[in-house]
Each structure stands twice: as structure tokens, then as C-alpha cells.
Amino acid sequence: MSKASCANEVPLPENSVNWSPVFSLALCVIGLITAELLPIGLLTPMANELGITEGMAGQTVTTTAIVALVASLLVAPATRRFDRRVVLLFFTFLFIASNVLVAMAPNYAALLAGRVLLGISIGGFWSMIAAVTMRLVPKERVPRALSIVFGGSAIAMAVATPLGTYLGAIIGWRGVFLVTGGLGVIALIWQFIALPSMSPNVPSRLSTLFSLLKRPQVALGIAASILIFGGHFAFFTYLRPFLETVTRVNVSGVSVMILGFGVANVVGTFVSGAMIHRSLRLTLALMPILMCLVAFGLVVFGGLAPIAALLVAGWGFAFGGVPVAWTTWLTRTVPDQIESGGGLQVASIQLAMTVGAGVGGVLVDRSGVLVVPTISGAIFIVAAGLVLIGLRPQNS
């Protein structure tokens, strides 16, 4: 690193932390996740106005996820020579541009183009979160900082779909995307003011991704996290049909239970910071164990609405700590290649989401909704076993 670059770095006092940069990242995360999920609640008006099917409109979510997966692997090597502050600002600008393009889209091709830009922004931003957070706060404050950033994700997942649907009925689906883009403008200005200059620490290349997987602890941790995220999305994607057919609640009841999941997820995200401070390894194992108990509990007691509601909220609480704990594990396991490690982690999560939802769909169609939580619970047991038997995170 050059002397000039070092001079631009903002020193971080151990006893007094400036949390403004962290909150600026959290605000951007809220916008990113909101934009990613908005089509779920706006499929019908989007499809009607653009003259496409709802299935085609739904593919905008899939397109974003696939592009995010690829982008997460390529960002670190592609931007290895640039100030990380500039790179983050660029991805936030892409986020704004994507929402504007979607809001102005005259046809399906323009709509997909906007979602491609969003995928690049999401993949790039998420792959850098761990590395940037490590440089914004002292080492002992990293779990807390990550809980703030991922708290933004939890908040967005809880409110994005219902709020988007509500606002869509008032200002139209295009207006909703413009409002989301406006949120990105606020985040961009905040980041421009708050983020310090951060020169790249270690040059990253595509080959670095494969070298990281050769490290036993990295490979084991990635495998365990894939199982947890895959098991989660295998069941959570089909939570609504489970609640409608097994618990036998109406649409309003489903909405209330999913809202309960979201609120508990936010609480779990922030509580996990304190848990990680006590023991990272125990937190990594405890979350899938709790999710396993909830999954099996839903199989047994899923027909009782009050108990099912509590169990769904318990699932949300347990899963809330998963992204924070695994990102903290990453910062402690590969601090020398944290950006490449972040890209690898984001790609593995996107893969787990895709495969988990796909496998869950096949199981639902062939064997019914009850088999999915059973399989998910078994997957969580395997994941917890991998953590307890083989994983040795530093400062655990």
C-alpha cells in the first residue's frame, strides 16, 4: 500500500467507534433486499401493464439471484486495484440505476436489464460487506457491526413484500420502485459522507477462490453453511402452503405468522451479536439445532395454529443469527483473503437458496408439504454435527 493511500485511511480508535459508516451500509442493505423482493408482491400489476405472464414477471427475481451469484465471484478480482469506498459507491449507484430502469421499463427486456443491474449490485455489495466492516470498527466490535448490517436485511425481509404490495395499490408498481431508488440516493449520499477511503489490502484473483477451498476449515465451514441455508429455503419457500394445508389458516393468518417470523428474525439478528461474543462456535451450532427442533415441532404440532405461530417465530429468531454468525466466522477464518472469502460465501448462499427451493418444490409435489420440514430438520442436524465435530473458529 502506498504512503498516499495510508494517509487517506481513517484511523479507528479502539474505545470510540464511529457507527455512522456501518449504519450507512445497513440502509443500503435495506434498499437492496427490498428491491430484490419487491416483484413478489407486485407480480400481477407488473405482468398486466407489460403484457407478460405472472410467471415471466416472477423470473425477474430468479434473474437477479443468478446474476448476483456470478457477480459475487467476480467482484473481488475485477476491482482489486480500486479504493473499496469507490467500489461500494459504484454498487450503490447501480442499485439506484436499476430501480429507475425498472420503473421506466417500456417492455420486458428493459425490465430484465434493470434486474440484471440489481443482481450485479447485490452480488458485489454483499461480497464486500465482511471485508469493509472489518475495516470500519475494531476487531472486538465486528460481530455487533455485522448484526447492525444484517439487521437491515432482516428488516427488509420482514416488510418489503407487504409494504410493497400496499404502496403499489396507492402509487403503482413503478412508483414503488422509484421510492426504493430514492432510498438508494439517501444511502449513496450517506456513504459518500461517512465512508473512509479504504485501499485494497490483498490483491484477489479467481484462483484465490479455489485456493481458499483447499483450506480444510474453509471447505468444512462452507459445506455446513450451504446445508443450513439450503435446509432453510427448502422449507421456508413453501411455508405458505404448509400453513394453509396443515395449519389450516386463511391468507390473513398466513400474513400474521410470516410477519411474526420477520419480527423475530430482526430480534434474532441483533441478539446474535451478544451470543457470538460469548462463543462463536456454540452460536454456529445452536442456530441449526433450534431450527431442527422447530422443523420437527411443526411436523408434530403444525395443525395447532397457536403453537405453529410460536414455532414459525422461533424459526425466524434462530435464522436471524445465521448470516451474522457465519459472516463473523468468515472474518476470523480468512482475514488474509476476506474479500475473496466473502464472494465465495455469497455465491454458496445463492447456490443453497436455489437448490434448496428447487428440491423443496420437488418434495412438495411428490410427497406433500409435511415431508419438507422433516428433511430440513435432518439437514440441520448434519450441519450442527459438522460444526461441533470439525469446525474450530478462532476466538470461539
Side-chain angles (χ1 to χ4, degrees), residues 28-29 31-39 60-61 63-65 67-69 71 91-99 101-102 111-126 177 180:
C28 191
V29 165
L32 286 169
I33 300 301
T34 297
E36 184 176 19
L37 299 178
L38 276 181
T60 60
V61 178
T63 299
T64 300
V67 173
L69 188 157
F91 286 130
T92 305
F93 173 77
L94 281 187
F95 159 61
I96 298 169
S98 71
N99 282 280
L101 182 54
V102 168
L111 180 68
L112 286 180
R115 299 297 291 182
V116 166
L117 289 182
L118 180 64
I120 296 172
S121 177
I122 290 174
F125 201 91
W126 275 118
F177 279 100
T180 307

Side-chain angles (χ1 to χ4, degrees), residues 254-279:
V254 172
S255 299
V256 170
M257 289 189 182
I258 292 179
L259 179 61
F261 173 95
V263 172
N265 187 256
V266 174
V267 174
T269 299
F270 287 106
V271 169
S272 64
M275 296 174 61
I276 292 168
H277 183 71
R278 291 179 175 273
S279 175

Side-chain angles (χ1 to χ4, degrees), residues 201-226:
N201 281 335
V202 181
S204 301
R205 308 181 191 281
L206 280 176
S207 58
T208 307
L209 298 172
F210 300 100
S211 64
L212 286 177
L213 287 175
K214 293 179 180 178
R215 303 183 189 184
Q217 284 291 297
V218 174
L220 184 64
I222 291 294
S225 65
I226 285 176

Side-chain angles (χ1 to χ4, degrees), residues 334-359:
V334 289
D336 58 321
Q337 290 290 348
I338 187 61
E339 290 192 8
S340 292
L344 184 63
Q345 184 182 58
V346 172
S348 66
I349 292 172
Q350 293 289 339
L351 177 63
M353 291 170 57
T354 304
V355 174
V359 171

Side-chain angles (χ1 to χ4, degrees), residues 37-216:
L37 299 178
L38 276 181
I40 295 175
L42 299 171
L43 284 183
T44 300
M46 289 173 65
N48 290 340
E49 185 169 338
L50 293 175
I52 59 177
T53 66
E54 291 186 354
M56 292 173 66
Q59 291 304 316
T60 60
V61 178
T62 306
T63 299
T64 300
I66 294 173
V67 173
L69 188 157
V70 176
S72 65
L73 295 174
L74 299 178
V75 162
T79 65
R80 63 181 183 271
R81 301 182 187 277
F82 298 99
D83 186 325
R84 311 332 274 161
R85 174 179 180 269
V86 173
V87 176
L88 282 175
L89 291 173
F90 172 72
F91 286 130
T92 305
F93 173 77
L94 281 187
F95 159 61
I96 298 169
S98 71
N99 282 280
V100 172
L101 182 54
V102 168
M104 305 296 290
N107 51 48
Y108 188 53
L111 180 68
L112 286 180
R115 299 297 291 182
V116 166
L117 289 182
L118 180 64
I120 296 172
S121 177
I122 290 174
F125 201 91
W126 275 118
S127 67
M128 296 180 62
I129 281 294
V132 170
T133 303
M134 287 179 65
R135 301 177 68 176
L136 294 177
V137 299
K139 183 178 180 180
E140 67 273 10
R141 304 292 183 89
V142 170
R144 180 181 176 186
L146 288 173
S147 70
I148 292 173
V149 173
F150 283 98
S153 174
I155 291 171
M157 286 191 289
V159 304
T161 300
L163 184 60
T165 303
Y166 174 76
L167 290 178
I170 299 174
I171 61 176
W173 67 270
R174 296 181 185 274
V176 176
F177 279 100
L178 282 178
V179 170
T180 307
L183 186 64
V185 172
I186 298 173
L188 181 67
I189 295 172
W190 193 352
Q191 289 173 24
F192 183 83
I193 296 172
L195 288 178
S197 176
M198 293 172 284
S199 301
N201 281 335
V202 181
S204 301
R205 308 181 191 281
L206 280 176
S207 58
T208 307
L209 298 172
F210 300 100
S211 64
L212 286 177
L213 287 175
K214 293 179 180 178
R215 303 183 189 184

